[in-house]
């Protein structure tokens, strides 16, 4: 056969195991998998490299509502540039942008803006508000919408649906799985009074304590069962929630963040100060151990970065005035490859959590696996490449990473989106990103 692109001599990470085989790409799709497939206009020699199914980061805040983002912080172009530099082929962008993605007009504009402004493919969340709660079901079926997002606890921006009654209204509108930031708003507000400006950064995890997260997750779980509406609990951060959620696989799926797997208190606050502050907070080693156990036993469905860029000036303030959120889309895969190198998980489980998992949970069509007929999205990695992460490498306009100075073994060397090489050896090409189609 005659292909547009042949990826040869690599080790494929297929859903059923590793295989020495080539991929033939035609018209953006995987046309064939095997040996001696034929000829192609372009050949990518992947000798000594592993070919992962395209990595999906299902949790990014690119700050761009379709009107250009925040200068010096992020927009869709710089956010997706970081993504492809880090081996990510698809991102799902959160709705706390300006304008907020909470109505049909903004969602349609945000989707149309993807063409010409993204290096990778993009899905968009619709944000729930107390105003759109009863009609949001009509918004979740708009093309490119990956899910409804509910901020049940407040974070950056003013999207908030805090009460059981209002959350239930959202859950009774529409039918797709809903993604939740589940920290309990009432407990957050109550506990906030006990702290003062200038208290140490480690107080972030004391204020937003275990019970804030666990109470929120218990409330969402009860409402999911009551309304029979599937939920996805984002950034689960406590051992207590992970244990509890084992009994809810029928209706609730689970995300953890890289940061909650590789950083812990008090170390992160002592070393990084405000650059360790995010919501929900990074907690002590007991919770990190529980997250790894939940990766091993299958409790966790997806891993995200929660890429949340902020200007240095807004980060470098005393707690709790400092902005909460950490960049991460570019470092997600390299840091996870380092965990593979350390023997914490297999490459197959990584592909399950970072590609197949998000595609399955959100219903992303033709994404999430290397298989004939699927989009030719692959992340090509060198498992032996040793590299030190630095602020200077970042595609994000804000120019910092909490992993500056960390050395990893395992590195993305090429990113291919629908057969287009969008990153090779740190050089970026495009932007060719498109809106993602979801089953709805
Ligand atoms: O730390 C966070 N930052 N958590 C969130 O939920 C939102 C995010 C942001 O947008 O800055």
């Amino acid at each position: 056969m005659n292909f547009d692109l042949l990826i040869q001599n690599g080790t494929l990470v297929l859903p059923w195991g590793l295989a020495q085989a080539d991929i033939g790409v035609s018209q953006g799709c995987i046309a064939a998998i095997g040996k001696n497939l034929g000829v192609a206009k372009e050949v990518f020699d992947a000798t000594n490299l592993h070919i992962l199914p395209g990595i999906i980061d299902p949790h990014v805040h690119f700050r761009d509502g379709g009107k250009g983002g925040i200068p010096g912080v992020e927009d869709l172009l710089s956010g997706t540039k970081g993504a492809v530099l880090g081996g990510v082929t698809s991102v799902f962008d959160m709705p706390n942008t300006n304008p907020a993605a909470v109505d049909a007009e903004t969602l349609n504009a945000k989707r149309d803006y993807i063409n010409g402004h993204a290096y990778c493919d993009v899905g968009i969340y619709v944000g729930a508000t107390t105003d759109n709660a009863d009609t949001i079901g009509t918004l979740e079926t708009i093309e490119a919408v990956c899910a409804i997002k509910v901020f049940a606890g407040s974070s950056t921006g003013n999207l908030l649906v805090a009460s059981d009654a209002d959350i239930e209204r959202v859950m009774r509108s529409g039918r797709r799985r809903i993604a939740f930031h589940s920290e309990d708003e009432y407990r957050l507000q109550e506990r906030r009074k006990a702290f003062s400006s200038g208290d140490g950064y480690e107080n972030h995890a004391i204020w937003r304590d275990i019970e804030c997260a666990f109470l929120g997750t218990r409330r969402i779980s009860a409402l999911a069962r009551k309304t029979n509406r599937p939920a996805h609990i984002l950034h689960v951060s406590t051992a207590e929630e992970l244990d509890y959620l084992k009994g809810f696989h029928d209706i609730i799926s689970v995300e953890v963040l890289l940061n909650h797997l590789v950083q812990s208190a008090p170390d992160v606050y002592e070393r990084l100060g405000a650059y360790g502050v995010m919501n929900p907070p990074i907690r002590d080693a007991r919770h990190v151990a529980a997250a790894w156990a939940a990766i091993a036993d299958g409790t966790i469905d997806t891993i995200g970065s929660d890429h949340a860029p902020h200007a240095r000036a807004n980060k470098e303030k005393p707690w709790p005035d400092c902005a909460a959120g950490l960049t991460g889309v570019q470092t997600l895969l390299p840091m996870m490859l380092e965990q593979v190198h350390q023997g914490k998980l297999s490459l197959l489980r990584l592909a399950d959590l970072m590609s197949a998992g998000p595609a399955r949970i959100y219903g992303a069509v033709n994404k999430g696996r290397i298989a004939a007929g699927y989009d030719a999205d692959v992340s090509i990695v060198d498992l032996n490449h040793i590299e030190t992460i630095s602020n200077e490498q970042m595609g994000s306009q804000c120019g910092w990473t909490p992993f500056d100075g960390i050395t990893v073994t395992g590195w993305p060397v090429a990113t291919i989106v629908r057969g287009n090489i969008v990153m090779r050896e740190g050089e970026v090409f495009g932007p060719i990103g498109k809106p993602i189609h979801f089953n709805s």
Side-chain angles (χ1 to χ4, degrees):
M1 255 182 88
N2 202 330
F3 299 99
D4 296 330
L5 172 69
L6 256 181
I7 305 169
Q8 282 183 331
N9 307 322
T11 302
L12 305 187
V13 182
L14 299 174
W16 45 89
L18 302 184
Q20 299 296 323
D22 303 338
I23 298 176
V25 177
S26 290
Q27 296 182 341
C29 294
I30 297 175
I33 297 173
K35 278 291 184 195
N36 305 316
L37 293 176
V39 293
K41 290 192 199 99
E42 187 173 11
V43 173
F44 188 107
D45 181 11
T47 302
N48 296 327
L49 302 176
H50 283 73
I51 322 290
L52 290 163
I55 297 297
I56 300 171
D57 187 342
H59 194 154
V60 301
H61 299 264
F62 282 167
R63 311 297 188 213
D64 194 336
K67 297 206 164 147
I70 305 176
V73 175
E74 203 72 287
D75 58 23
L76 187 61
L77 197 67
S78 61
T80 55
K81 184 177 181 191
V84 300
L85 282 167
V88 170
T89 58
S90 293
V91 294
F92 303 168
D93 189 43
M94 287 293 173
N96 57 337
T97 44
N98 184 14
V102 296
D103 54 52
E105 195 188 337
T106 312
L107 287 164
N108 285 324
K110 187 172 176 178
R111 185 209 43 250
D112 292 346
Y113 175 82
I114 293 167
N115 293 301
H117 294 96
Y119 287 98
C120 66
D121 285 353
V122 181
I124 55 181
Y125 288 87
V126 49
T129 68
T130 50
D131 288 336
N132 70 14
D134 295 319
T135 53
I136 197 162
T138 61
L139 302 178
E140 70 172 3
T141 54
I142 288 178
E143 182 61 21
V145 169
C146 62
I148 294 170
K149 162 74 181 279
V150 177
F151 282 93
S154 52
S155 194
T156 303
N158 53 14
L159 291 180
L160 181 66
V161 182
S163 74
D164 276 9
D166 286 335
I167 294 171
E168 185 170 338
R169 286 166 58 212
V170 175
M171 286 180 131
R172 291 200 184 280
S173 183
R175 46 168 292 278
R176 293 177 69 190
R177 188 177 293 276
I178 301 177
F180 283 92
H181 182 127
S182 78
E183 287 177 292
D184 183 87
E185 179 65 12
Y186 304 103
R187 187 174 170 88
L188 284 181
Q189 296 305 337
E190 185 56 34
R191 290 178 62 73
R192 175 71 182 75
K193 297 171 197 154
F195 301 92
S196 314
S197 187
D199 287 350
Y201 293 104
E202 70 281 2
N203 283 291
H204 199 62
I206 300 170
W207 166 38
R208 302 178 87 109
D209 68 351
I210 295 169
E211 183 59 10
C212 276
F214 191 21
L215 176 56
T217 288
R218 291 200 305 276
R219 286 178 47 210
I220 304 299
S221 304
L223 287 167
R225 277 272 160 75
K226 181 178 176 192
T227 58
N228 203 24
R229 182 76 181 263
H232 185 53
I233 312 278
L234 300 164
H235 41 45
V236 172
S237 64
T238 69
E240 284 75 1
E241 291 167 277
L242 289 166
D243 188 39
Y244 182 78
L245 289 170
K246 288 185 191 6
F248 285 86
H249 278 307
D250 56 310
I251 195 116
I252 292 185
S253 51
V254 179
E255 176 195 76
V256 290
L257 301 182
L258 170 79
N259 305 73
H260 292 132
L261 289 166
V262 300
Q263 296 176 310
S264 61
D267 168 75
V268 74
Y269 302 107
E270 286 164 7
R271 272 192 312 114
L272 299 176
Y275 291 98
V277 170
M278 63 182 298
N279 303 327
I282 295 168
R283 307 186 192 279
D284 68 36
R286 182 172 71 85
H287 302 284
V288 177
W292 281 110
I295 283 191
D297 73 14
T299 303
I300 295 168
D301 295 283
T302 66
I303 291 181
S305 72
D306 200 354
H307 178 85
H310 292 280
R312 279 184 184 277
N314 289 334
K315 276 309 253 181
E316 292 170 7
K317 288 182 177 171
W319 185 83
D321 310 322
C322 58
L326 304 173
T327 62
V329 69
Q330 190 173 337
T331 44
L332 179 65
L333 179 59
M335 287 298 294
M336 284 303 293
L337 291 174
E338 168 64 17
Q339 308 312 304
V340 172
H341 173 69
Q342 289 181 18
K344 298 237 183 77
L345 80 170
S346 68
L347 208 52
L348 282 173
R349 181 65 168 132
L350 180 151
D352 178 46
L353 287 161
M354 301 180 72
S355 184
R360 169 175 55 86
I361 295 299
Y362 291 83
V365 174
N366 286 341
K367 305 288 192 195
R369 53 162 57 194
I370 295 175
Y374 276 63
D375 286 355
D377 292 354
V378 295
S379 307
I380 302 182
V381 300
D382 181 349
L383 294 181
N384 297 314
H385 182 118
I386 299 172
E387 182 89 28
T388 300
I389 293 169
S390 70
N391 289 334
E392 292 68 37
Q393 293 161 347
M394 292 301 113
S396 174
Q397 290 178 46
C398 75
W400 55 266
T401 162
F403 301 113
D404 180 57
I406 301 281
T407 298
V408 297
T409 302
W411 196 254
V413 295
T415 309
I416 298 182
V417 176
R418 285 174 287 96
N420 301 284
I421 300 173
V422 293
M423 187 280 283
R424 190 166 195 169
E425 306 281 352
E427 205 180 335
V428 169
F429 310 94
I432 57 82
K434 286 199 169 139
I436 297 169
H437 179 59
F438 294 87
N439 287 316
S440 59

